[in-house]
Amino acid sequence: MPTPKAFRPFAHREYRVLIAALAISIFGSGMWAVAMVYQVIHLGGGPLELSLVAAAGSVGLVAFVLAGGIAADRVPQRLLIIAVEGTNLAVIAAISGLALAGWLQLWHLAVGAFVLGVGAAFFFPAYSAILPRILPAEDLLAANGMEGTMRPILQQAAGPAVAGILVAALSPSHAVTGVAACHLLAFIILNFLGRHALEAPGTDSGKGTDGGPAVERAGTSLLHDLREGVSYTVRTPWLLWTLVWACISVLFLIGPIEVLLPFVVRDQLGGDSRMFGFLLAVMGAGGAAASLATASFALPRRYLTVMMVSWGAGSLPLAAVGFMDSFWMVAAALFIFGATGGAGMVIWGTLLQRRVPPHLLGRVSSLDFFVSLALMPVSMALAGPAAEVVPTWVIFLVAGGVCPVMAVVAVVVARMPADELAHPLDRSSGDREPADSP
């Protein structure tokens, strides 16, 4: 009986090691999200202190994510990933020890959150760049789909649930200790990654990952590396216009969902925090289900068009959220939004790994990460003041309407239908396709 496509990456030992460690690590991250909150409260902190600790993690992530992309293209990705996980372990173990000893202070948590944010900035570009080194091209879609399935389940549901149980039954410090145990296990597992991944990107026996000449990076400056990644992005229409769409969608969508949706729940649906949490869970479930479904099939021949249509059409139901007075209608809108977003993200991650030159993949991945993260706080900061000036339904209507229009603009301006036909990715061979020329 043939292995289902979604599980084909598990046939490769290196992937099994990597995904097992990733699963445990993101489960621990989900636990940390809850443990950190109640640890702040346990120390007498309020909303201001909690905001400062949470903001420290975001600052570390945004400030270092471009450096993380450069490092992923310079440093052996295996060592980078192991180093990040080891640092996470040291930070969480230190916080756990201080908490259990009764010496923990709020500034310890803020510093720890900052270091964890910096670690994430280095981890994710390296993870994205290492996948094409350990998997054949035809298995990358399934690998990205598996990650997209795991994150909502482990980071948004299971991890926080277990941490909540530990906090209620024991104490926040015991929940932090549980997070440390997760990072310890992930660190141990990562050390079983094959030694071949120790080589720096593009140096395998003098050849690049795509079989072409190796790219010599030792003599270049960090600024040169960053300019090279930005220049490639700007000169590659499908990549540039997808990132433009991502910037606009983050700016218009994140604020209404994160800031205004709780008030929709309260004022239109008559619900409370439990209903809000359940709606977010429904959105996450949609993303997980669609990610798994996308991983179970071949990459669409019209992959750019399918991706942009998924994202654009999936935003449309949000335009009606401000008018809805039924919980199930809002839940359906968020499920569709989560599902189309998850499917598009699986395709997007696969495109980066299959079409971006290997020696640029870390930097391009970090640019993608950066443009998404940089506008999140802006969107959330603007949503509240905007709601003071115009009705909430107008904000949701604009957000849900602008994103589909911009998706059409991106498809047309970048000539995506012609581009995807000129660069077919539906081959049955495991060879990497020639990357786009800068």
Side-chain angles (χ1 to χ4, degrees):
M1 181 177 179
T3 303
K5 183 175 176 56
F7 298 101
R8 274 186 5 201
F10 287 96
H12 304 275
R13 177 192 177 277
E14 307 302 331
Y15 177 77
R16 293 196 300 270
V17 172
L18 185 62
I19 200 65
L22 179 67
I24 295 167
S25 182
I26 64 177
F27 176 81
S29 297
M31 289 185 65
W32 169 252
V34 171
M36 179 267 291
V37 168
Y38 286 96
Q39 190 68 72
V40 169
I41 294 172
H42 182 73
L43 295 175
L48 176 60
E49 290 78 10
L50 182 57
S51 295
L52 289 174
V53 173
S58 298
V59 168
L61 182 57
V62 174
F64 284 88
V65 69
L66 294 180
I70 294 172
D73 289 335
R74 278 177 167 257
V75 180
Q77 292 139 4
R78 174 186 184 273
L79 290 183
L80 197 56
I81 289 172
I82 292 174
V84 168
E85 198 59 46
T87 303
N88 291 344
L89 170 60
V91 168
I92 298 296
I95 292 174
S96 173
L98 291 170
L100 291 172
W103 298 337
L104 187 65
Q105 299 180 36
L106 284 170
W107 72 268
H108 294 141
L109 284 172
V111 171
F114 177 81
V115 176
L116 292 175
V118 174
F122 282 86
F123 181 91
F124 290 111
Y127 171 80
S128 180
I130 202 174
L131 277 183
R133 294 167 62 85
I134 63 176
L135 287 176
E138 69 269 17
D139 287 345
L140 290 174
L141 183 71
N144 290 308
M146 190 56 60
E147 182 196 353
T149 302
M150 287 193 322
R151 283 196 178 277
I153 295 172
L154 297 178
Q155 193 167 12
Q156 298 174 19
V162 170
I165 293 171
L166 288 175
V167 170
L170 299 171
S171 70
S173 58
H174 285 86
V176 175
T177 303
V179 178
C182 290
H183 286 295
L184 173 60
L185 184 55
F187 177 75
I188 292 172
I189 292 173
L190 282 173
N191 278 275
F192 287 94
L193 276 174
R195 307 300 294 183
H196 69 278
L198 276 170
E199 296 172 343
T203 62
D204 303 85
S205 304
K207 293 186 177 182
T209 307
D210 59 354
V215 178
E216 180 58 48
R217 310 212 47 79
T220 61
S221 67
L222 298 181
L223 184 58
H224 172 274
D225 285 358
L226 180 58
R227 282 201 306 263
E228 188 179 19
V230 173
S231 176
Y232 173 80
T233 300
V234 171
R235 293 192 306 231
T236 308
W238 70 267
L239 183 57
L240 173 64
W241 279 94
T242 304
L243 291 183
V244 169
W245 183 89
C247 288
I248 293 171
S249 67
V250 167
L251 183 63
F252 277 87
L253 294 175
I254 296 299
I257 291 173
E258 296 289 339
V259 177
L260 302 183
L261 188 59
F263 296 98
V264 169
V265 170
R266 185 192 69 183
D267 300 335
Q268 294 175 209
L269 307 182
D272 55 14
S273 59
R274 290 171 296 180
M275 182 181 288
F276 175 65
F278 188 77
L279 286 173
L280 293 183
V282 167
M283 186 169 66
S291 296
L292 183 60
T294 305
S296 301
F297 297 95
L299 187 70
R301 183 166 178 262
R302 293 280 191 174
Y303 50 86
L304 289 170
T305 303
V306 170
M307 179 181 72
M308 296 307 301
V309 168
S310 293
W311 282 338
S315 304
L316 274 174
L318 295 182
V321 165
F323 301 101
M324 296 175 177
D325 57 6
S326 164
F327 165 78
W328 294 110
M329 291 177 65
V330 175
L334 291 176
F335 182 87
I336 293 171
F337 177 70
T340 52
M345 283 303 299
V346 172
I347 297 174
W348 171 244
T350 306
L351 296 189
L352 292 181
Q353 292 156 355
R354 293 184 68 173
R355 290 195 58 178
V356 174
H359 69 282
L360 291 170
L361 183 52
R363 280 164 286 171
V364 172
S365 296
S366 69
L367 282 170
D368 170 38
F369 208 22
F370 178 78
V371 299
S372 299
L373 290 172
L375 291 179
M376 281 185 182
V378 176
S379 179
M380 289 187 280
L382 292 177
E388 296 292 328
V389 179
V390 297
T392 299
W393 66 265
V394 173
I395 297 175
F396 275 99
L397 180 64
V398 171
V402 165
C403 293
V405 171
M406 284 308 304
V408 173
V409 170
V411 169
V412 173
V413 174
R415 299 174 57 86
M416 290 186 183
D419 185 284
E420 60 199 357
L421 292 180
H423 298 86
L425 298 179
D426 53 356
R427 303 178 183 180
S428 58
S429 138
D431 296 332
R432 181 186 171 96
E433 297 77 5
D436 298 58
S437 299

